[in-house]
Amino acid sequence: MASKKMWSLLLQTTALVGVATMATPAVAQDDETEDTITVTGTLIQRQDIQAPSPVTSVSAEELKVVNTVNTEDFLNTLPQAIPGFDATSNNPGDGVATANLRGLGAVRTLVLVEGRRFVPYDAGGIVDLNQIPAALIERVDVVTGGASALYGSDAMAGVVNFDLRDDYEGVELNASYDISEQGDGGIFQASILAGGEFADGRGNATFFAAYTDRQPVFQGDRDFSAVANDDAAVGEDFPPFGSAGVPGMRLFDSFDFSNIGYTPGMDSCTAPGGGVAEGLAADCTGGALFDESGSPIPWINSGTNTTRYNYAPVNYLQLPQERYNLAAFANYQLFENTELKLRGTYASNVVAQELAPTPIFDTFTISEDNTAISDDFRTLLEANGDFDPNNGMVDTYDVFLGRRMLEVGPRNSNRDQHAVQWSAETITQVTDSLTWTNYAQFARTAGALSQTGNVSRSAFQDAIDQNCDLYGPNRFSEECVAIVSRTGIIRNAFEQTVLGTSVGGDLAALQSPMASLPVAFVAGVEYREEAGDFQPDSVLGPDVAGFNQSAPIKGRFDVTEFFTEVNVPLIEGAALAEQLNVNGAIRISDYSTVGSLTTWAAGASWSPTEDLTFKVNYNRAARAPNLAELFQPVVNGFPGADDPCAIQTTGGTPAGNQAICTAEGVPASAFGTTALQPNSQIESLFGGNADLTEEVADTFTLGLVAQPSALPGLTVKVDYYNIEIEDVISTIPVQSVLDGCYIDGTQSLCDLVQRGQSGQIEFISLNNQNLALLTAEGIDLDADYGWETGYGDFNVRIVGTYRIEDGFQAFDGEPLNNCSGYFGGRFGQCGEPFPEWKHTMFITHTIEDLTTTLRWRYIGEVTADDAIDPSGALDDFTELRGTTIDAYNYFDLTAAYAFGDNINLSVGIQNIFENEPPIQGDSFQEQANTWPATYDPFGRSYFINTTFTF
């Protein structure tokens, strides 16, 4: 609910402007006003106004070139973006698609539709791009550089604005199908767009409906991802790897296998049937797992004969999706000087994830009288001194085990999300030069996330106590499965209400004597309220194994904002000053959570000639913490990291300091052994923080626009950007905690780590803090050239970015990690690849009714950030294969033909040369042995798209 203060303020503002309306004769819009277009990157809407910040626009035609069905697919190819979650994001991922400008995080990219905020999908305030159908988009504008003064909080890295086709006449039917050369991953999309005038031309109504069906692809469907890779030395093949949580159950203690028929030797241990017993020391001691008969056998940690579990093939490489979109728009001339705009959108989106069956890792108690224990296993336990058959008592044995619950089935997560948004806007032409706008918007996202394949830790102990047979693969009975398996449901709802009023136009009394146009301005007030309710059931608490633990989040905040923007033409038509403008903006925000924030922007635009324009702009941006960052209870997660006390560099030396590791609870016998860290994922506890303050950013852009009259059809835009965000809301990266403690000896970081009696890490405690620094610096290029010939029309456009710095500092005192030219390796922090140079080029030829377009996507070379480890402890890590990913070139070809005025057919080939993605080892990949959001994992694919218009 809006506060009384806010309602009073809105009423007063409305009344004042209403008086001005009544005091001024109503006038019809003149030709200049009717031709006014909406410009993204400025709130002032006048034909001569250009956005002060860099803007890259993508037309609907460019989206069609590659048959864009999901908008994130195209956005991720733009050089200004680093891929967020998309159709390949199975683990990590949560079934949504996000925008991530400059790689500064989805929470710092503001998504707009028609210049207004779009409904987020969660308490983090992030928009799911799945809800925005590509078939309805007329243009996408990407504003890079802070825009908080113009659009409010969240616009730290920039803005993505989707302009929709909301004023249509006629009927358009569209259908497309996309499929890989291997015959899988099909994507079907069909839509209808219909509209027309009513009330003798005073209004227009438009209706849109679309259906999308995306079929799954499994990692097992591609050779490069069918087996989880281990690391390999340069020049060697990747050996198979996988998880220590195996279907046969792994025991992490060391047992003496000589008690069950294995024979110790000088150099090796001999198995009962002869031959070397791999996985055991010469004295026949080592870890164990169980074969299909239920007998213990030696554990083999790595190599071609590894007994690790290959989890890869049953994971999705492309997530299946089913989506329905509906939209309705109406524009109506209420009065001679007042227009009413109504908009409503609805999206139903179902996306599934599938992971390998749950691995459960924990300490469990086995009783001596357990009837499911095999004779050999009982002998091992007795020989280990844990069961004493002669003491007349029932003994127990506490064992740390890892078991893959194959019998329970794969982990499936099904996100069923529904989003609705409606808005009403009135635009009143008060005078020839003054426009008054009022708007109201309500949005709600609600849905459920069902998760099957979970296992209860406490029930697993119950199953052991009830003599369930877990000693070997496929030995867990259906009755025992029913004891341990759990299905969890998370219900969520997120609501957003926006009310606003603004006045804009020309100030005739303020005009430079050397300019023909007066000062242009806009000023207004906006109220926004956001509330989130995230409610998992009790199944998904600390007892769960499988998907991550979830905790309820419920909270709200509201913000009242005053904003104004001015553009001042100073000089026109003078020598060396064809045009000189200055601009400024300020926004004062009063948050119920963090109090008052002030953001502002100042800039100038100078055209020494009609052919050349220079722009400079400075922004002070801010971002208030979102509901999740403030109110999330402590939950667990499992980020990939390495315990320096366990992991060894390729030179065979433990990365950690033994004295520190010993002092922090690591037994000397366990130091530098893989048994100290059985899993590459380390449980970490994350929580919100009600005392968070805002993030603050300084952004600077300097650009030029050249349109040489000597070369008609050429436009070149070059923009330099520099973004620095302080007090970034973040948690200390897990690897930074571990390295800072066990390599550098920082006690405050050691205090965050909890180890068990065996020395293994039980969990790391992390909460949100204002602690990090993010930077982004680089140069954007957008060049477009079109010309006519006797052989048709040609057009070439290239959009590219050269990255100078993409910095991340986790906390004060840590070195600034520059991710430009790097990607996140095992010990690194960069994550998704940040190529120094990345571009997309379109070469288009049109002759009569045939248009052919070649798209060239270039991704520059990147290196694993481990190779530049500032501590020097890992300087030999570069000996591993995969530390460098070479530059990649992708080519896509589309041909479109117009059959008269009513039928358009386009066909295309993507990834013409069928480039496989870079194949990486365990230390240098995100998922599927590669980085599937950056590099095409599907190979060559084909599409066909048909449009009928009436």
Side-chain angles (χ1 to χ4, degrees), residues 705-751:
V705 180
Q707 295 176 299
S709 55
L711 197 57
L714 175 64
T715 300
V716 178
K717 296 191 293 183
V718 180
D719 294 286
Y720 166 82
Y721 65 89
N722 189 307
I723 304 172
E724 183 172 303
I725 308 175
E726 297 180 337
D727 298 325
V728 171
I729 298 169
S730 179
T731 59
I732 302 175
V734 172
Q735 197 64 59
S736 292
V737 172
L738 297 175
D739 291 349
C741 171
Y742 302 110
I743 295 177
D744 302 330
T746 304
Q747 187 59 47
S748 60
L749 297 178
C750 294
D751 293 341

Side-chain angles (χ1 to χ4, degrees), residues 206-423:
T206 300
F207 173 79
F208 173 83
Y211 172 75
T212 302
D213 179 35
R214 184 176 67 203
Q215 294 298 303
V217 178
F218 286 91
Q219 291 183 22
D221 295 332
R222 295 294 184 273
D223 290 341
F224 71 84
S225 57
V227 177
N229 287 343
D230 196 357
D231 289 319
V234 174
E236 295 183 0
D237 292 335
F238 291 115
F241 198 51
S243 171
V246 295
M249 190 173 77
R250 177 188 174 184
L251 303 177
F252 290 90
D253 290 359
S254 181
F255 294 91
D256 185 353
F257 277 74
S258 65
N259 291 285
I260 57 173
Y262 288 76
T263 306
M266 291 295 295
D267 301 311
S268 62
C269 174
T270 302
V276 175
E278 293 185 74
L280 294 181
D283 61 357
C284 295
T285 58
L289 77 157
F290 296 84
D291 63 17
E292 293 183 354
S293 70
S295 298
I297 59 174
W299 167 259
I300 304 174
N301 185 58
S302 61
T304 56
N305 296 321
T306 181
T307 47
R308 285 179 172 267
Y309 171 71
N310 178 27
Y311 52 78
V314 295
N315 281 258
Y316 282 138
L317 186 60
Q318 175 170 280
L319 278 60
Q321 175 191 43
E322 186 174 30
R323 179 178 66 195
Y324 296 89
N325 289 97
L326 297 173
F329 310 90
N331 307 317
Y332 183 69
Q333 199 74 29
L334 279 175
F335 308 106
E336 192 175 21
N337 67 332
T338 301
E339 181 183 14
L340 171 66
K341 290 187 174 184
L342 301 175
R343 183 183 81 219
T345 61
Y346 169 79
S348 170
N349 190 56
V350 179
V351 180
Q353 295 170 265
E354 182 165 316
L355 283 69
T358 292
I360 186 165
F361 293 90
D362 216 328
T363 299
F364 294 95
T365 301
I366 300 176
S367 175
E368 184 179 20
D369 61 359
N370 192 307
T371 59
I373 300 176
S374 69
D375 291 340
D376 279 350
F377 185 36
R378 187 181 301 276
T379 300
L380 283 182
L381 292 176
E382 290 175 351
N384 223 39
D386 296 286
F387 288 172
D388 184 354
N390 302 312
N391 65 1
M393 301 173 61
V394 176
D395 294 315
T396 59
Y397 179 48
D398 291 335
V399 56
F400 188 88
L401 60 85
R403 191 180 197 281
R404 182 72 53 168
M405 299 305 297
L406 216 62
E407 300 87 349
V408 176
R411 285 169 287 173
N412 290 105
S413 174
N414 196 70
R415 177 181 290 277
D416 188 352
Q417 203 83 3
H418 302 265
V420 62
Q421 184 173 50
W422 63 261
S423 65

Side-chain angles (χ1 to χ4, degrees), residues 695-707:
E695 300 177 347
V696 178
D698 293 311
T699 71
F700 174 76
T701 58
L702 177 65
L704 67 86
V705 180
Q707 295 176 299

